[in-house]
Amino acid sequence: MLSPGKTSFAFALSTLTALLVTACGGSVSDTPSDPSKGGAVSLHGIVYGASDTSVPSGAGVPITMMGQMRALFDLIKKAPDFTQVVMDLGDGSPVHVLDTNTGDKFLPGKLALGLSYILIDMKTKGDPKYADYLATYQKITTAMMTQMHGADYVYANTSWGEYYYLVALNNFKAHGMLNEVFSDAMLTTLQNRLNFCDMFGADASGKTNTCPVAGVPIDVASLNTAQNYYAVSYGIAGLRQKLGWSNPSFSSKTDPTVATMGARDALLYTLTNHIRNDSSGGFSDEASNTHTTYYDQARFDRYSTLLIGEVTERTLEMGNEANLTPELKSYLRKSVDLILPQLNADGQGFNYGRSIGPYGDSAFMEVLTAAANAGVLTAQEMQVAYSFIYKAAYRFDTFWYDPSLPTPSVNMWVKGRGTDTYRGKPRVMGENFSLLHQFMYVNAWWDKLGFGSKAPMSDTDLQAWLDARPHYTLTWYNLPGDTAHPYSAALVTVRDGKRVINLNLSQAPDYNSYTPYYPTPFSDKLIYGTTDLGYALLIPQVTYNGKTYIPVTYYKNLSVQENNGQVVVSFDTTKFRQAAKNATYATDIDLQVHTVLTFDHGSMTRTDTLSSATLTGNMAVETDFTSFADFQNTTANSDGFSVKYANSNATSYGATGFDSCALSNFEMAAGVTNPLSTTPIGQLHSKFACTTLPFALTAGSQRTLGWTLKYADPS
């Protein structure tokens, strides 16, 4: 973080920008005043493009993000009935993406915001087709926000959807278009409907709550969803206030200070307390609202790092810079310090935890952009951040976006890819809009920071900066000695040339049965988890008394050392958990494992030493390695305990301490794609499973198992 009392170029620039934006009534999602100034090989060139939003010469992408947004608008516009719009991803099951039962409760807000970019752009340029597109926009938004009867609406639009809608309204207002796009009656409907009340109160079943009668405050502790939704409600309150709309008031049974604040500031105050109290390392514990004791908290993942970036961006967006305190900036810097060691020249973001894929990449981008605007980056870090974000945008357009699909779209669902059930394929339209919005608003900020026409750092210079990073970084979520959180929770990041390897130790009580939360090293195109599913991915999975147990919480004694170029990580797991979502702690078994992971150039080795003082029956252990390498080019060695790979990042894998191993096709099961094999970045093809015969662990005895994975530099 910047030294106290020093003013960097980045801080001065971001402060000046904030003043200019505030003075001009601007919004972080505004389109640039002169789109033609964006350089071809620049973030602006990929996101916005040339003056007509086409791909500039030399940009190297199939379509700009504004082009994608226009294509989606045209897809909706040409349909006689927009509720029947179909997106076909080529897997034999096209989706009615604007049906009322897509499961996307944010859809009206996503459409209102996504399509607003096109309307604003057309209006700014005096496009003769503007009136026609405006009529389509008005038809869709009116229908989606219409009541069927009583308080029920044709479409749900909760939390994030309300926030997205309010961003659109504020952007229209900044361009003098609000009353042209929306009638007075529609604005009254939106003022009544776009609030945060659905996130508070006793109703956690999904039914939309109504705000209390005037003068009756909401209990700030009655949030009925995950803690990070305080940030969504904060954004809603702030953007309502920016429009001149009133907010319900808050109260608190435990902190009367809340009642003295307006809703916007009460929610920011509550958010700050969440980060301050639920993680001594300054990160957001995403399990703390439903799990209240030290042993069943500590889900640290993408959102634990991203939340403070969102809070910062919302604060700037609503013009609340005065409340961006040094404490909040210090939390933002902690997220920056977790991200910088993971940066790469390919634009890849988080590779562990839930809701990653393109959102893993954009999370890095959003945090770094917030940090650039908050003045917590050095001038060189600004250049590096911009260059990474350019790479992430290029990756989105050339990897995540697939123009070869029957309906060109972001792809998180087909061709071997899989994502969380939360982001299921029926939400494909909304996911396109929300991801494109993230790049649009980030690009607008960098335009305002003076980078609109700038090329990123050269690949050579960027890689040189990356190569100068430490060989490993240890980031604590809960600091050692924190008696309220006695189990180790931390991220270890190892850099081996261009390869970034993450080992995330997180209790994750509601997700620890899923592979992305295992204490397993994850690295792009080498080791990846499968969303919402579990199997013995590089951990000792134990079968005991007919049930399966895994070492996925209760970490102690974490140590990270570097010796002679090797990074050695060791930790103890004091109990094994039943391999089931939300398994009760009463089902834990008294089984311990001492784990040592050794990272060397081109290889990683793990040993697990099992012991127990009380277990009496026999147990068996399985450990699997699943590879992206083609199955037909994978060869099991004659020793029976190792395998060779061709044409892949993995070159060989071998296990020790097991009784037998078997190589099998992991991609197909019973003639269909094996759901365990679809990772966020693509298809796993083979499994090498090593198992023991049943054995007993008597008091004082041990059993040591291990594996070694060798790999090439990233391709």
Side-chain angles (χ1 to χ4, degrees), residues 2-15:
L2 302 177
S3 301
K6 292 185 178 180
T7 302
S8 71
F9 165 78
F11 179 79
L13 183 58
S14 63
T15 301

Side-chain angles (χ1 to χ4, degrees), residues 145-419:
M145 304 300 277
T146 299
Q147 287 182 307
M148 292 191 305
H149 55 80
D152 294 327
Y153 290 82
V154 177
Y155 286 81
N157 189 58
T158 64
S159 58
W160 277 107
E162 295 162 298
Y163 164 74
Y164 291 136
Y165 219 121
L166 285 161
V167 174
L169 296 180
N170 275 278
N171 287 347
F172 280 132
K173 181 180 180 182
H175 286 84
M177 297 170 61
L178 183 61
N179 295 105
E180 177 180 327
V181 175
F182 296 102
S183 66
D184 290 345
M186 185 62 172
L187 286 173
T188 299
T189 296
L190 294 174
Q191 183 174 357
N192 291 333
R193 189 170 175 195
L194 302 179
N195 57 67
F196 43 72
C197 297
D198 53 292
M199 288 176 276
F200 292 86
D203 183 6
S205 66
K207 181 181 178 181
T208 302
N209 292 341
T210 56
C211 284
V213 296
V216 178
I218 298 171
D219 181 1
V220 75
S222 67
L223 187 72
N224 58 35
T225 184
Q227 293 276 69
N228 61 61
Y229 277 79
Y230 275 121
V232 184
S233 56
Y234 169 58
I236 291 170
L239 290 176
R240 283 180 63 90
Q241 185 169 322
K242 191 174 180 180
L243 285 170
W245 295 354
S246 63
N247 284 305
S249 59
F250 279 101
S251 66
S252 172
K253 296 177 182 177
T254 58
D255 190 345
T257 305
V258 170
T260 67
M261 302 176 174
R264 181 194 71 179
D265 295 340
L267 287 163
L268 181 60
Y269 173 81
T270 304
L271 260 171
T272 304
N273 285 336
H274 164 51
I275 300 174
R276 181 193 300 140
N277 298 334
D278 292 336
S279 165
S280 55
F283 296 91
S284 172
D285 175 3
E286 292 310 297
S288 63
N289 65 320
T290 55
H291 302 264
T292 56
T293 54
Y294 66 80
Y295 54 79
D296 59 1
Q297 290 185 14
R299 169 159 49 97
F300 296 103
D301 52 20
R302 173 188 71 99
Y303 220 93
S304 302
T305 304
L306 173 60
L307 181 63
I308 185 60
E310 290 185 345
V311 171
T312 303
E313 196 281 327
R314 302 296 105 88
T315 299
L316 297 169
E317 181 178 57
M318 66 180 67
N320 192 25
E321 294 89 342
N323 283 329
L324 192 58
T325 62
E327 179 184 7
L328 289 172
K329 289 184 180 182
S330 74
Y331 295 149
L332 180 60
R333 183 65 211 196
K334 285 177 180 289
S335 286
V336 169
D337 289 340
L338 180 143
I339 286 173
L340 291 181
Q342 299 181 60
L343 292 188
N344 53 82
D346 294 320
Q348 301 157 14
F350 285 102
N351 55 20
Y352 59 89
R354 65 185 292 271
S355 290
I356 50 175
Y359 287 96
D361 301 348
S362 66
F364 278 18
M365 173 183 78
E366 291 190 277
V367 170
L368 293 173
T369 300
N373 279 299
V376 299
L377 297 182
T378 66
Q380 184 179 36
E381 288 172 342
M382 289 272 286
Q383 298 292 331
V384 170
Y386 173 75
S387 299
F388 173 83
I389 293 168
Y390 166 83
K391 295 287 188 178
Y394 184 83
R395 175 173 162 84
F396 181 87
D397 255 8
T398 58
F399 179 76
W400 292 114
Y401 177 78
D402 189 346
S404 71
L405 296 174
T407 306
S409 169
V410 64
N411 176 19
M412 295 188 281
W413 305 275
V414 299
K415 298 184 179 181
R417 300 180 190 176
T419 190

